[in-house]
Amino acid sequence: MGGCFSKPKPVEVKVELSLLEKEKEVDGLSPNGKASPFADCRPNGALAHGSDDDSTLLPLYHKPRDYVEASVCHVKDLENGQMREVDLGSGRALLIKEHGEFTAMGHKCPHYGAPLVKGVLSKGHVRCPWHGACFNIATGDIEDFPGLDSLPIFQTSLMSVCSSDGHHFLVNLLLGPAGLVCAETLRQEGFTDRIVMCTMDKHPPYDRPKLSKSLESTAEQLRLRSTDFLQDHDIELLTEKEVVAIDVKTQSVIFEDGLRMEYRKLFIATGSKPKPMNYKGKDVRNVFHLRTPEDANSIARLANNKNAVIVGTSFVGMEVAAALTDKAHSVSVIGIESVPFKKALGEKVGKAIMKLKEVVLKSGKVLRADVCVIGAGSIPATGFLKQSGIHLDSKGFITVNKNMQTNVDGVFAGGDIVMFPFPPRNNKKVNIPHWQMAHVHGRVAALSMMGRATEIKTVPYFWSAMFGKTIRYAGYGDGFDDVIIQGDLDELRFVAFYTRSEEVVSVASMNYDPIVSRVAEVLGSGKTIKKRDVETGDISWLIDKGSQ
């Protein structure tokens, strides 16, 4: 990659729309660390997520049979550390200059289509400005999550330069995003034997966080991988299968319908379930816990021009309330907290968000509800493990080591249901129920299963969309003792730095991209940000000036 700088005065940079030779040799497999995106795949979350439609988007997710080339800029147009979207006639690519060399890759994040030119370039990778996924600029590999696919890369050159295993395992995955990434990583890393994924859902894996943001989306629109994709990579999928017990002595999984399956390696990623509540009317058809696309679709349909009541001020509850504001006749939110998100985001940020929506908090008040959504939190879906010998803590979370292995040999777990050692907190056991973190768990577990143990190296990244605004959050802020606000809370254009003692441990922002990805990049490099560094009001040193 890159041109030869031994020739005098090269004039223009040329980009060839053809994949590298090593990519041409790969027929399909790629996510999380291989050369090219899967053939015939599409960006996860192709349904728009705050992005405008781009009719000139290159078919980056299909392998071209031929190539075209285009001169895109003068060599001196880009300084080191800069990125630029370039027009190639039939579409666009992201041109990058780092350490004197040019590289070119897909210009949109394959997760939700974010323009990577607005992201953060640092030390050989680009971090997405929306949700924090990272891509290697030399190979296109996805190096941090969320998302499943890598990016295509293209040959770049200067115009004046002419050159340019055999054991019979049964791995049984209880399906979540962690489970899907685990399965794909196993195949990608050369595991050739049987993989079975089991889920209570009746659909292939789908983008569950989007249910509360886009209530009318179908399972087909939200899917992460199609059944054809899974079949092509010899990953079996059993739907509508509820696990009732695991027998670690016989290495068996027992299902509600009596089916019993043996395993050699087991990965548990059952996710969370709604927190139990005692109330009258549990069996009423217009009361929902949002779990499936069918739930979301029913909520949207029943709330049309009707009265909707949301019980709970969790992120899911507030996102549903926001999604219904342009559909329902009225939307009321009931919660026990005086300020939503106070524990996670602090009182000042919570109050700013609350201004977007009138929240009903008075106990004893009767509200008419044509549709009611319960969004009052969740608990780990691990009840079936109580007699298994797999260790659960007092709240039902599975405790795992740094390789995502439980106390039982050959049994791994990940996602919302685990307490795992977190390196930035001196390996304190934590639970981080983020979509992005579940992806990481799946990959770490798969590599451990393959005897290639690796530790978690990521910065937690979270986002929430409501009322046309998006909150981005990176880091682990549990136990923060102060919040430093820069920007304007009233105008909802701010960045909030959460500190613990004298150190910044996390950051949240609204309308301040790509500041959260920039902070994630700093924290991910192992550096610390001191409280005094953000108290001055001058955070220009954190704002990326490397893109055009």
Side-chain angles (χ1 to χ4, degrees):
M1 297 293 291
C4 173
F5 287 86
S6 61
K7 298 287 184 181
K9 298 181 181 178
V11 177
E12 294 183 328
V13 178
K14 177 176 68 176
V15 175
E16 297 179 353
L17 288 187
S18 61
L19 298 180
L20 296 179
E21 290 301 318
K22 72 169 184 174
E23 291 183 319
K24 295 177 181 178
E25 295 169 3
V26 178
D27 186 20
L29 284 174
S30 105
N32 17 344
K34 291 299 177 186
S36 65
F38 286 92
D40 301 320
C41 76
R42 57 173 173 72
N44 299 332
L47 205 65
H49 179 81
S51 60
D52 45 7
D53 180 58
D54 181 5
S55 59
T56 63
L57 179 65
L58 284 170
L60 298 181
Y61 306 96
H62 296 77
K63 295 181 181 178
R65 295 294 179 260
D66 302 305
Y67 74 87
V68 295
E69 60 185 41
S71 298
V72 294
C73 71
H74 288 270
V75 170
K76 294 183 179 180
D77 285 351
L78 263 68
E79 299 295 331
N80 278 321
Q82 286 191 316
M83 302 184 289
R84 173 183 290 185
E85 274 191 17
V86 293
D87 186 4
L88 301 168
S90 58
R92 287 180 287 178
L94 182 67
L95 185 66
I96 300 164
K97 185 177 182 182
E98 190 172 55
H99 304 307
E101 294 197 347
F102 288 90
T103 55
M105 60 197 300
H107 71 295
K108 288 197 172 185
C109 178
H111 177 226
Y112 273 0
L116 292 176
V117 71
K118 295 183 179 180
V120 176
L121 172 65
S122 176
K123 297 181 180 179
H125 64 244
V126 174
R127 186 179 290 270
C128 171
W130 288 359
H131 307 131
C134 285
F135 302 91
N136 187 294
I137 65 173
T139 65
D141 296 350
I142 184 169
E143 296 183 335
D144 204 350
F145 301 96
L148 300 173
D149 295 318
S150 298
L151 285 171
I153 53 175
F154 308 113
Q155 292 279 15
T156 61
S157 60
L158 303 180
M159 292 292 285
S160 59
V161 180
C162 299
S163 62
S164 64
D165 69 327
H167 298 291
H168 292 285
F169 285 78
L170 169 61
V171 179
N172 192 300
L173 303 174
L174 306 178
L175 187 61
L180 181 60
V181 171
C182 183
E184 293 192 13
T185 302
L186 286 169
R187 283 288 181 250
Q188 169 195 4
E189 295 296 324
F191 182 80
T192 59
D193 294 302
R194 192 179 181 196
I195 297 177
V196 182
M197 297 199 304
C198 310
T199 176
M200 289 178 61
D201 276 319
K202 64 180 181 181
H203 305 291
Y206 56 88
D207 190 347
R208 190 182 295 274
K210 202 162 188 180
L211 289 178
S212 54
K213 303 174 181 71
S214 181
L215 296 171
E216 295 175 328
S217 299
T218 65
E220 176 71 15
Q221 291 171 319
L222 296 174
R223 76 180 187 190
L224 298 175
R225 296 300 191 199
S226 66
T227 52
D228 287 344
F229 173 90
L230 298 176
Q231 290 171 2
D232 288 345
H233 298 290
D234 200 20
I235 299 171
E236 299 174 47
L237 175 64
L238 301 181
T239 58
E240 299 182 272
K241 287 288 186 181
E242 181 177 359
V243 178
V244 293
I246 291 176
D247 187 335
V248 299
K249 293 182 179 178
T250 62
Q251 293 188 313
S252 301
V253 176
I254 300 95
F255 296 87
E256 187 180 36
D257 60 6
L259 175 66
R260 190 182 188 99
M261 297 186 70
E262 294 182 353
Y263 65 85
R264 289 288 299 277
K265 302 287 184 182
L266 175 66
F267 183 64
I268 305 170
T270 44
S272 57
K273 64 180 183 180
K275 184 181 295 183
M277 290 182 62
N278 291 318
Y279 57 90
K280 295 180 180 180
K282 286 185 179 181
D283 299 324
V284 177
R285 292 185 179 181
N286 64 342
V287 177
F288 295 91
H289 290 281
L290 180 56
R291 293 289 297 164
T292 68
E294 288 76 20
D295 290 338
N297 298 165
S298 295
I299 291 167
R301 184 180 70 255
L302 293 174
N304 188 41
N305 292 319
K306 301 290 185 179
N307 300 306
V309 173
I310 314 300
V311 179
T313 54
S314 65
F315 281 103
V316 169
M318 295 297 284
E319 287 172 353
V320 171
L324 290 177
T325 52
D326 62 349
K327 299 179 179 65
H329 172 71
S330 69
V331 180
S332 300
V333 181
I334 304 172
I336 60 174
E337 294 180 323
S338 59
V339 176
F341 317 134
K342 182 178 179 179
K343 183 178 179 181
L345 300 178
E347 186 170 359
K348 292 179 181 179
V349 175
K351 284 183 175 179
I353 296 171
M354 190 167 65
K355 292 178 182 178
L356 293 172
K357 176 69 189 172
E358 181 179 356
V359 183
V360 178
L361 299 166
K362 296 179 181 178
S363 62
K365 185 174 181 179
V366 177
L367 299 175
R368 179 180 177 181
D370 297 298
V371 59
C372 179
V373 182
I374 309 295
S378 60
I379 59 174
T382 56
F384 66 98
L385 296 173
K386 287 183 178 179
Q387 306 300 322
S388 68
I390 297 170
H391 184 263
L392 304 177
D393 71 6
S394 60
K395 295 182 179 180
F397 292 102
I398 303 173
T399 55
V400 296
N401 64 17
K402 62 184 180 181
N403 305 130
M404 308 311 295
Q405 181 161 336
T406 69
N407 62 304
V408 176
D409 188 44
V411 178
F412 299 77
D416 293 4
I417 60 174
V418 301
M419 296 287 290
F420 66 97
F422 190 50
R425 288 291 179 91
N426 297 315
N427 288 318
K428 174 187 175 183
K429 292 286 182 72
V430 302
N431 172 254
I432 303 179
H434 295 177
W435 185 252
Q436 168 256 4
M437 186 60 71
H439 289 65
V440 177
H441 289 171
R443 178 161 177 78
V444 170
L447 293 173
S448 298
M449 288 180 181
M450 296 285 288
R452 303 172 191 171
T454 185
E455 298 181 23
I456 290 175
K457 294 180 180 178
T458 189
V459 177
Y461 207 109
F462 171 79
W463 63 95
S464 180
M466 59 188 77
F467 308 108
K469 307 291 184 181
T470 299
I471 301 169
R472 310 197 197 284
Y473 181 97
Y476 181 65
D478 186 60
F480 68 87
D481 53 34
D482 199 5
V483 185
I484 309 301
I485 306 291
Q486 304 290 354
D488 192 328
L489 285 172
D490 291 332
E491 295 296 325
L492 295 177
R493 185 180 185 276
F494 65 87
V495 55
F497 296 95
Y498 299 86
T499 64
R500 193 168 181 262
S501 297
E502 296 301 313
E503 184 178 326
V504 174
V505 292
S506 61
V507 61
S509 81
M510 187 177 282
N511 293 318
Y512 228 103
D513 291 343
I515 190 72
V516 170
S517 287
R518 170 59 67 186
V519 172
E521 190 62 32
V522 174
L523 298 179
S525 70
K527 298 177 182 178
T528 59
I529 302 174
K530 295 298 183 181
K531 184 177 181 178
R532 62 176 180 269
D533 295 332
V534 298
E535 283 182 316
T536 63
D538 179 14
I539 56 172
S540 59
W541 58 278
L542 267 177
I543 299 174
D544 182 26
K545 297 181 178 179
S547 60
Q548 292 186 349

